[in-house]
Amino acid sequence: MTEQNVHDIVGVGLGPFNLGLAAMLDGVEEDVDAAFLERDSEFHWHEGMLLNGTTLEVPFLADLVTLADPTNPNSYLNYLREMGRIYEFYFYETFQVPRREYNDYLQWVAENLDTSRFSREVTGVRWDDDCEHYVVAARNPETGERFEYRGENLALGIGSRPQIPEQLQGHPEEDVFHTARYRYNRERVLTADSVTVVGSGQSAAEVFQDLLQRQKANDYRLDWLTRSDGFFPMEYSKLGLQHFTPEYEQYVYDLPQEVKDDLIPNQDLLYKGVDPDTSAEIYDLLYRRSIGDHDPDVGLFAMTDVQDIESVGDAYALDCHQWQTEESFAHESEVVILGTGYERPIPGFLEPLEDAINWDDKGRFEVTEDHRLDIAVEGDVFLQNAELHTHGVGVPDLGLGCYRNTKFVNRLVGREAYPEDTDTVYQDFSLDQFVEHAPGAFRERGSEPLPQND
């Protein structure tokens, strides 16, 4: 089925960032013709990790619209009002909301927007030189029905996908699997004699915590391995969080690419560590379990790289290497749960545009300052969470979604429909920012000294 009209924008993928763009477009005066295509038949956000007791790692104000427009009807607070839960939330008295409720909020927004198109898996995108717009081919994954959409601009929001190192692949998915599938496989896990969690990020910690809570009733050995230096907390101090701001994003973008490539991989604890509350709850539970000199039958081992997994009877042997002492050992477990992160591969449907896209020397997107793909056609391609290498650690953060979408909306409508915040934190990252905010305290080297107070 081919749509005859040409949309102002076609969104590919409907995760929180593109859903936020759709919600913000819904709140402008201009009639922006949009269609957002999603492969799944309904909205889900990290469904395999929607565990009871887990919370969002950012305040509820980092919803789809509030940081750009608190009056937008697609806000989290308005969702609570519509659900009849505003007073319950008032007495809940916390900024970090249940992850399951955040997912329900996103579903509520997706259902309220008439621009959502589900069961639309994009298979190809090309630029039509004659008509000067993008042609997006899609199919229904369940029925095979074909669709074609046309748009003057695109928004790529396909998100990330679970990453399992090649050497750890090839085993039955009910026994060796990524944390993203934990909730689907949990019943099988609880029947095992031994379970090992690999990784030290928040997902691995939440899986370990859930299994630790259930261990006594199900009687399994539980181990937690990570190649990191330790089970360290995510940076969550108020001054540390200023790295997730427009100012820091601008600072990173202005750095030479080789400096960024050295900087970003060494900032893991800004977004990949364990939430301090989760860490504390795990420790407290271990402490209570060990009262009276009882052994909780739990092991935590850091600085350990899992290099291979082999099937051994009804279990699996993990080939481990403690990289600091350079000792190798084998660890056996019936179930292995891999918190090995996520990857953002270049989607195959962009192949028809490959020659028009500008790539860097490492085969990554060249990206403009305002998060657009550097491409040799007239139509814009707005990037959602595909520009970590150019804009830094704030790119995947939900709190900066509104800021990025503000730039996209304003460009689409040709005016400042939403304010583009530029002075949001107390810290300055670049010398230009410092000079702008403290001109009286600055002088060039070699100039006359500043006057001293009497």
Side-chain angles (χ1 to χ4, degrees), residues 395-407:
V395 165
D397 189 70
L398 293 174
L400 280 174
C402 277
Y403 172 70
R404 182 168 55 216
N405 281 331
T406 288
K407 292 178 175 290

Side-chain angles (χ1 to χ4, degrees), residues 44-59:
H44 292 294
W45 179 70
H46 295 300
E47 189 180 23
M49 284 296 296
L50 294 180
L51 308 178
N52 287 327
T54 57
T55 62
L56 206 61
E57 293 167 37
V58 294

